[in-house]
């Protein structure tokens, strides 16, 4: 407990400073539980030292303290801009006092969209070393907030999945809808697997052997029935697919395995032969006569 006062007296009893023992008659003093102190002794004995200027904080000065540190009112300032923090919100960073503006400028991120400071504690999004206000992180296509939605980055832009698919995803050559996964390529164009079907029977062709006619795909069976020439021997279609070889003579065609002498069944592939009506004969059987 302290009480400041001053006396003027002529009485004969002593009234001395409890520290320096000098008379306090006619002087300003401060009364404590331990007795009266002259002002210099009181300050030297009881005053705190300012953490900023290292000077004593006199009894008649306004004193501020923060985390066991004491300051003159005029010394309690932002370490960067020197703004008084006596009546301002502030932050302590590595034992340094900072006003909110300086703290945000030095330690907070800037929004990559609007360039404004992302205030501590505010909702934000971070991606690729960049930071955005939540309301500034927009789809580059529809300009709607991406928030917690899935997005696709592309050359510095960010797209929601529907916008990215509409803008960049390949489109099926048949249905014109986007291919989000899988798909097959036919004639250098993308197709949904379910869209690549035989023009004749609608059988799916993905993973199957097939051919085309006038740019339309056909399974081997439909192509053979509709377009392929027929073997003059077995009457089955000659497709030439899968490495199948055939022989043609005038307007007739044979599978390699079917091109043989009508009498002795000797293969005529690579051999001389003699046509005999609808048949072909080896030279031996031809010379032997009917």
């Amino acid at each position: 407990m302290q009480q400041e006062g001053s006396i003027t007296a002529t009485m004969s009893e002593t009234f001395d400073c409890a520290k320096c023992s000098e008379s306090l008659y006619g002087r300003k003093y401060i009364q404590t539980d331990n007795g009266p102190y002259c002002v210099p002794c009181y300050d030297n004995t009881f005053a705190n030292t300012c953490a900023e200027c290292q000077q004593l904080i006199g009894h008649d000065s306004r004193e501020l303290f923060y985390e066991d540190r004491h300051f003159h009112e005029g010394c309690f300032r932002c370490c960067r801009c020197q703004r008084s923090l006596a009546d301002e919100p502030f932050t302590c960073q590595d034992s340094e006092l900072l006003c909110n503006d300086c703290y945000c400028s030095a330690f907070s991120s800037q929004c990559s969209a609007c360039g404004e400071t992302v205030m501590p504690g505010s909702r934000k999004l971070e991606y690729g070393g960049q930071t955005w206000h939540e309301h500034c992180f927009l789809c580059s296509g529809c300009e709607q907030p991406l928030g917690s939605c899935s997005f696709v980055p592309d050359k510095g832009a960010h797209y929601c999945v529907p916008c990215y698919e509409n803008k960049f995803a390949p489109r099926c050559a048949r249905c014109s809808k986007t291919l989000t996964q899988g798909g097959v390529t036919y004639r250098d164009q993308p197709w949904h697997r379910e869209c690549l079907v035989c023009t004749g029977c609608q059988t799916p062709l993905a993973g199957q052997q097939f051919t085309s006619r006038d740019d339309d795909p056909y399974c081997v069976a439909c192509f053979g029935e509709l377009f392929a020439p027929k073997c003059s021997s077995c009457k089955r279609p000659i497709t030439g697919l899968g490495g199948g070889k055939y022989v043609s003579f005038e307007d007739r065609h044979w599978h390699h395995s079917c091109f043989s002498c009508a009498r002795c069944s000797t293969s005529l592939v690579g051999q001389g032969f003699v046509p005999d009506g609808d048949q072909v004969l080896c030279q031996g059987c031809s010379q032997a006569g009917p």
Side-chain angles (χ1 to χ4, degrees), residues 27-287:
R27 299 175 60 188
K28 191 174 183 179
Y29 71 93
I30 299 172
Q31 182 68 45
T32 73
D33 292 339
N34 296 325
Y37 285 78
C38 65
V39 171
C41 284
Y42 179 86
D43 286 344
N44 286 330
T45 303
F46 299 106
N48 294 306
T49 300
C50 176
E52 178 66 21
C53 70
Q54 301 303 311
Q55 300 297 313
L56 291 177
I57 304 174
H59 69 284
D60 55 352
S61 299
R62 182 184 178 191
E63 180 177 347
L64 302 174
F65 67 92
Y66 173 74
E67 291 186 349
D68 297 327
R69 290 186 290 166
H70 300 262
F71 301 84
H72 292 105
E73 180 180 13
C75 293
F76 195 62
R77 302 187 300 266
C78 172
C79 68
R80 294 187 177 235
C81 69
Q82 302 304 308
R83 177 194 302 177
S84 173
L85 300 178
D87 299 305
E88 295 284 341
F90 64 92
T91 302
C92 184
Q93 182 73 22
D94 297 329
S95 298
E96 293 185 331
L97 301 178
L98 297 166
C99 66
N100 274 2
D101 289 343
C102 288
Y103 177 81
C104 292
S105 176
F107 300 102
S108 298
S109 302
Q110 282 191 323
C111 177
S112 296
C114 70
E116 298 293 329
T117 300
V118 180
M119 297 296 291
S122 63
R123 297 178 66 87
K124 63 180 180 180
L125 290 163
E126 296 179 325
Y127 175 76
Q130 295 178 292
T131 305
W132 290 263
H133 294 110
E134 185 179 48
H135 58 273
C136 290
F137 192 56
L138 308 178
C139 170
S140 299
C142 63
E143 297 186 347
Q144 293 300 307
L146 291 172
S148 59
C149 300
S150 298
F151 66 91
V152 182
D154 184 80
K155 298 178 181 178
H158 305 87
Y159 296 89
C160 64
V161 174
C163 283
Y164 182 82
E165 291 178 351
N166 288 333
K167 187 175 181 67
F168 298 107
R171 294 183 177 274
C172 176
R174 181 177 184 183
C175 70
S176 297
K177 295 181 180 179
T178 56
L179 278 78
T180 56
Q181 59 182 358
V184 294
T185 300
Y186 168 61
R187 301 185 71 86
D188 296 325
Q189 292 181 306
W191 297 62
H192 291 112
R193 295 179 68 87
E194 61 272 19
C195 288
L196 185 62
V197 297
C198 173
T199 306
C201 66
Q202 302 301 303
T203 298
L205 299 177
Q208 306 297 322
Q209 189 179 50
F210 67 94
T211 187
S212 63
R213 174 87 173 196
D214 298 329
D215 293 338
D216 295 324
Y218 289 89
C219 66
V220 174
C222 285
F223 183 85
E225 289 298 324
L226 295 172
F227 307 111
K230 304 300 188 290
C231 177
S232 295
S233 176
C234 70
K235 308 305 180 186
R236 294 198 300 271
I238 300 174
T239 62
L241 298 174
K245 297 181 180 180
Y246 61 95
V247 176
S248 296
F249 175 70
E250 295 180 346
D251 58 349
R252 291 182 288 171
H253 312 276
W254 294 265
H255 296 106
H256 260 207
S257 58
C258 294
F259 191 53
S260 57
C261 176
R263 293 184 183 177
C264 68
S265 299
T266 298
S267 174
L268 298 177
V269 176
Q271 306 296 322
F273 64 91
V274 178
D276 182 28
D278 292 336
Q279 300 178 333
V280 287
L281 304 174
C282 65
Q283 291 183 350
C285 289
S286 175
Q287 292 174 359

